[in-house]
Amino acid sequence: MELWYTEEHTKNVRFSIKVDKQLVSFKSEFQRIDIFESKEFGRFLTLDGFMMLTEKDEFIYHEMITHVPMAVNPNTKKILVIGAGDGGTVRELVKYDHIEKIDMVEIDKAVVDLCREFLPSTACKLEDKRVNIYYEDGLKFVRSKHNEYDIVIVDSTDPFGPGEDLFTREFYGNCFNALKDDGILVNQHESPYYEADAIASKRANKQLKAVFPFATVYQLHIPTYPSGHWLFGFASKKYNPVTDLKADIWNSFGIKTKYYNTELHKGAFALPNYVKELISE
């Protein structure tokens, strides 16, 4: 008998991975958490049946959500990370010795605990002394913050279920207030390819544009996400992510990456016409 994980990307498209064994099946207060073992992608995490990460391709997501804003404002000292219970975003951020404080807000402690046990490749730096973990609602947490962070990274699940409130104009407005005068927000922005995902991407970009002076998207390729074509949002009070890229400074840090580099950084903001049309409508 063969065991397969299958995710429905649309009513007409499904994506499957052959599974060697299931390591975790747990129902938390907020969602169902499953972790599987596979030959092709290693261990992978799903929440409510939706793919969150695999050991084989998670580096793409986590490098692009962290190093892009860090290369635009390499002097960053204080960062707020919302979501990111798997620890991959924090793992990338602690590579910067000059970052002083990383506040991570994750609503579901069970995700963190299970990733620490079964996905140590991503959760390996959560014990860093600069990391403060808060197990609470990100929307409520950020309401009380004003002029405190250089960068806010919203590493959330999809815009339904526990992550739904992290795609609203109210939330982005609170993030704006939490950021310093030259602050940057980066968020998970869905895929522009399939219709339902594209609607979510367009809505998220529209909400960011209503709050920030500058808001756009950048792209990356993640093989295990719907269509493989994925977007992150970039919003800032001051910086243009291409013209204000500090490539020389970032390269001087000597940070080892598998996907991100400063040439790719500029190219990631060169968008296909269908994506340009989507966010300009």
Side-chain angles (χ1 to χ4, degrees):
M1 182 182 73
E2 292 184 345
L3 177 64
W4 289 77
Y5 160 80
T6 298
E7 181 177 333
E8 191 176 86
H9 286 179
T10 77
K11 293 296 182 183
N12 303 303
V13 179
R14 289 177 177 173
F15 174 78
S16 295
I17 298 175
K18 188 176 181 181
V19 172
D20 287 344
K21 58 183 175 180
Q22 185 165 11
L23 303 173
V24 173
S25 181
F26 181 78
K27 185 71 171 69
S28 76
E29 179 186 352
F30 302 98
Q31 57 205 334
R32 177 177 168 176
I33 306 166
D34 293 284
I35 300 176
F36 302 92
E37 183 100 56
S38 72
K39 282 188 173 64
E40 187 66 39
F41 289 97
R43 293 183 177 184
F44 62 93
L45 167 71
T46 70
L47 298 179
D48 287 334
F50 292 95
M51 177 67 74
M52 293 295 112
L53 69 86
T54 79
E55 286 184 315
K56 186 172 183 177
D57 66 3
E58 57 82 11
F59 70 94
I60 303 170
Y61 181 102
H62 292 123
E63 288 183 12
M64 290 296 282
I65 206 170
T66 56
H67 301 308
V68 166
M70 284 300 300
V72 176
N73 184 7
N75 296 317
T76 288
K77 297 290 192 297
K78 295 183 179 180
I79 298 179
L80 173 61
V81 180
I82 297 177
D86 57 73
T89 295
V90 167
R91 180 197 65 204
E92 294 303 310
L93 288 172
V94 301
K95 293 178 179 179
Y96 296 89
D97 293 336
H98 65 276
I99 291 178
E100 297 173 355
K101 180 181 179 182
I102 303 167
D103 287 344
M104 175 180 141
V105 184
E106 166 60 56
I107 197 170
D108 196 343
K109 185 176 185 294
V111 173
V112 177
D113 292 342
L114 290 168
C115 287
R116 276 178 164 147
E117 182 175 357
F118 293 96
L119 289 165
S121 60
T122 58
C124 55
K125 296 297 183 180
L126 292 175
E127 307 303 325
D128 188 284
K129 63 182 180 181
R130 296 170 289 172
V131 178
N132 310 290
I133 304 178
Y134 301 88
Y135 295 110
E136 56 185 280
D137 185 297
L139 179 63
K140 293 178 181 177
F141 181 91
V142 78
R143 280 176 182 155
S144 63
K145 306 300 178 182
H146 298 279
N147 194 34
E148 188 166 334
Y149 299 102
D150 301 296
I151 294 174
V152 173
I153 297 175
V154 187
D155 182 359
S156 66
T157 54
D158 297 320
F160 47 81
E164 186 171 2
D165 289 341
L166 304 183
F167 286 80
T168 64
R169 189 173 303 185
E170 177 196 359
F171 172 69
Y172 294 145
N174 289 332
C175 288
F176 183 94
N177 293 333
L179 286 164
K180 296 178 183 178
D181 290 341
D182 61 348
I184 297 169
L185 180 144
V186 173
N187 74 330
Q188 189 277 111
H189 226 69
E190 298 294 300
S191 169
Y193 192 75
Y194 295 125
E195 183 178 6
D197 296 330
I199 291 170
S201 290
K202 180 179 178 179
R203 185 185 301 121
N205 182 255
K206 183 178 180 181
Q207 305 287 40
L208 279 180
K209 284 179 175 176
V211 174
F212 283 84
F214 183 93
T216 187
V217 299
Y218 61 100
Q219 60 185 342
L220 55 156
H221 176 253
I222 306 176
T224 51
Y225 281 13
S227 82
H229 189 193
W230 211 253
L231 300 179
F232 286 147
F234 182 103
S236 176
K237 295 185 177 184
K238 177 180 177 180
Y239 297 117
N240 179 302
V242 177
T243 58
D244 291 316
L245 169 65
K246 313 296 191 304
D248 290 344
I249 296 175
W250 190 87
N251 287 317
S252 73
F253 294 150
I255 291 174
K256 185 177 180 181
T257 54
K258 293 169 66 179
Y259 189 88
Y260 177 83
N261 58 58
T262 50
E263 291 81 14
L264 179 76
H265 178 116
K266 291 177 280 190
F269 288 92
L271 303 173
N273 286 340
Y274 86 95
V275 178
K276 286 184 178 181
E277 291 169 6
L278 179 73
I279 64 173
S280 66
E281 289 174 355

